[in-house]
Amino acid sequence: MSHNPKSTTSTNTNINDSLHVNKMISAECGQSDNQSALLSETYPAAYSESYFDTLYNDNTDPWQYQTRWYEKRKRDMCLAVLPQAQYGNAIELGCGNGVFSELLARRCHALLSVDGNTQAVQLAKQRLKGSPHVRVIQGIIPNALLNLEDTLLHTYPLTDKLLANKPLSNKPPANKPPFDLIVISEILYYLSPNDVDKVITWIGQNLAIDGTLLCCHWRYAIDGFAMTGETVHQRLQQAFSLVNSTNNERAQQVAFDHPVAFNHQSKIVDTDFLLDVWQNSSSSVAMQENLI
């Protein structure tokens, strides 16, 4: 879970259609092509490897995950709002040094954690070495999401297919998206607006029926990057509202190829961060427990 409080090829055959839908989403969000171009000229076009290399240089915990009450409190809140006690197949985007991954692993039968920084990945692997059901791979979002299986098999060449022997691919089998939990914490504001849209499309293609999406981001501006937690979560909400709209059934079909509905399960507006949970299900926790 990476944030900066001190401001410190295998291609999916449907990707062209998906990107077309992303342009529709951008238009609905009020983001014109000219605005996107301006952001691209002003800020980094994508994730900055050198930025994170500097942070992890001679520092195994650049955000003080292990010592700050702020971080522990946020982790506890993220775990508490998950609507299911256990998940089968989970993926975590932006795992950092694995502090949150270690806790998340206790709620998952299989967990795939991804980070773009070499040092962070090594630290996470070391921390999670006692959890054989967890895999940690290096990959830069969003491109890494299109090659998950290849990267996984390259990193763990002797392993069977992760996630209960379900194939990991950038185009899952029809009606069988692989992940019933997707965690995206403190990473999307490091991406360009266009890359955020690619991640949104990937979520729709890979979130299982009854699956959960958790997103948590720092609310303040970060020097040198276009997005903030505010703009990221606005973009997510507007995109999911577009998908859910009965007036945009064609957009949903083109982008996702399987039934998907982003129902807003939880929303926490903290002074410092935003925490949102969506489910591909209409059932609340009380409904799942037969309380109503």
Side-chain angles (χ1 to χ4, degrees), residues 21 42 86 112 115 151 153 156 181 233 261:
V21 173
T42 307
Q86 290 289 318
L112 178 60
D115 201 275
T151 304
L153 295 179
Y156 298 92
L181 174 62
H233 282 245

Side-chain angles (χ1 to χ4, degrees), residues 103-209:
L103 300 174
L104 190 61
R106 301 172 188 172
R107 302 276 295 271
C108 305
H109 297 295
L111 172 64
L112 178 60
S113 296
V114 184
D115 201 275
N117 182 265
T118 302
Q119 176 70 358
V121 167
Q122 294 305 314
L123 292 168
K125 285 183 177 181
Q126 179 66 23
R127 179 177 295 277
L128 296 161
K129 63 182 180 180
S131 301
H133 64 299
V134 180
R135 299 288 184 268
V136 183
I137 62 174
Q138 182 181 2
I140 296 175
I141 310 299
N143 293 339
L145 300 177
L146 303 180
N147 301 283
L148 279 178
E149 184 173 348
D150 290 344
T151 304
L152 178 63
L153 295 179
H154 177 75
T155 308
Y156 298 92
L158 300 180
T159 189
D160 290 331
K161 302 285 189 182
L162 187 63
L163 310 178
N165 293 320
K166 293 181 181 179
L168 251 180
S169 69
N170 49 345
K171 186 179 181 183
N175 299 318
K176 292 185 179 180
F179 299 111
D180 56 3
L181 174 62
I182 298 174
V183 174
I184 307 177
S185 181
E186 311 290 7
I187 185 66
L188 290 184
Y189 44 53
Y190 292 122
L191 307 184
S192 69
N194 286 339
D195 282 348
V196 172
D197 287 344
K198 291 178 184 179
V199 173
I200 291 171
T201 296
W202 179 87
I203 291 168
Q205 294 169 336
N206 288 274
L207 183 63
I209 295 173

